[in-house]
């Protein structure tokens, strides 16, 4: 009986680039619950500010409270976003640095490969020259005897 090795392998997770519709987005959220924390915080904060604005507008005679509440909520969202994107921007800087080093490595690797090829050709040429000289010396020794 043949073993089915693929039965134990989990199916590949949805990548961000695969998201084309709301259904794909929901699938991605289900597969990556920890990655959607920032999105959830932003969404809930926006929803809370919008609901607070509507509630204050409908049930309060003073509109100043609406502006204060929305200002505080917006400040909270900006604060959370700052810390969230600070990490992402630092990561982007590291990825850019890594990419630049990767490009330099590729160039140096190409130069070293060409140097190694050149030295291998020179080594083969020197080997053939050495064999030719050894044959010539052997022939000269036989001729002088």
């Amino acid at each position: 009986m043949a073993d089915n090795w693929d039965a134990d392998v989990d199916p590949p997770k949805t990548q961000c680039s695969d998201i084309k519709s709301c259904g794909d987005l929901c699938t991605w959220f289900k597969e990556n619950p920890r990655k959607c924390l920032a999105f959830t915080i932003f969404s809930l904060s926006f929803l809370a500010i919008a609901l607070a604005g509507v509630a204050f507008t409908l049930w309060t005679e003073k509109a100043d409270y609406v502006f204060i509440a929305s200002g505080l909520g917006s400040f909270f969202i900006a604060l959370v976003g700052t810390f969230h994107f600070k990490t992402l921007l630092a990561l982007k800087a590291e990825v850019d640095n890594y990419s630049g080093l990767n490009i330099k490595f590729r160039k140096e690797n190409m130069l070293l490969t060409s140097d190694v090829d050149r030295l291998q050709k020179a080594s083969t040429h020197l080997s053939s020259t050495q064999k030719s000289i050894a044959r010539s010396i052997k022939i000269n020794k036989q001729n002088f005897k």
Side-chain angles (χ1 to χ4, degrees), residues 34-83:
R34 297 181 82 197
K35 291 184 179 179
C36 68
L37 180 64
F39 177 78
T40 305
I41 289 173
F42 280 117
S43 300
L44 290 177
S45 299
F46 177 75
L47 184 64
I49 289 172
L51 290 177
V54 169
F56 276 125
T57 304
L58 294 177
W59 292 299
T60 308
E61 294 177 8
K62 295 183 179 179
D64 293 339
Y65 294 123
V66 175
F67 297 121
I68 292 171
S70 63
L72 290 174
S74 300
F75 180 74
F76 173 73
I77 290 176
L79 192 64
V80 170
T82 300
F83 286 115

Side-chain angles (χ1 to χ4, degrees), residues 1 4 6 9 20 27 31 35 48 55 70 84 86 101 111-112 120 141:
M1 180 181 238
N4 189 0
D6 293 335
V9 178
K20 305 279 190 257
T27 304
E31 290 176 353
K35 291 184 179 179
S70 63
H84 176 69
K86 178 181 171 187
L101 291 175
L111 289 173
L112 287 174
Q120 283 178 341
K141 282 183 181 179

Side-chain angles (χ1 to χ4, degrees), residues 68-116:
I68 292 171
S70 63
L72 290 174
S74 300
F75 180 74
F76 173 73
I77 290 176
L79 192 64
V80 170
T82 300
F83 286 115
H84 176 69
F85 289 114
K86 178 181 171 187
T87 306
L88 289 177
L89 289 175
L91 181 62
K92 183 188 179 310
E94 288 300 316
V95 167
D96 289 344
N97 184 26
Y98 180 78
S99 176
L101 291 175
N102 201 11
I103 290 170
K104 285 181 184 177
F105 173 75
R106 194 174 301 131
K107 287 178 183 177
E108 288 180 16
N109 191 20
M110 286 175 26
L111 289 173
L112 287 174
T113 303
S114 66
D115 283 348
V116 167

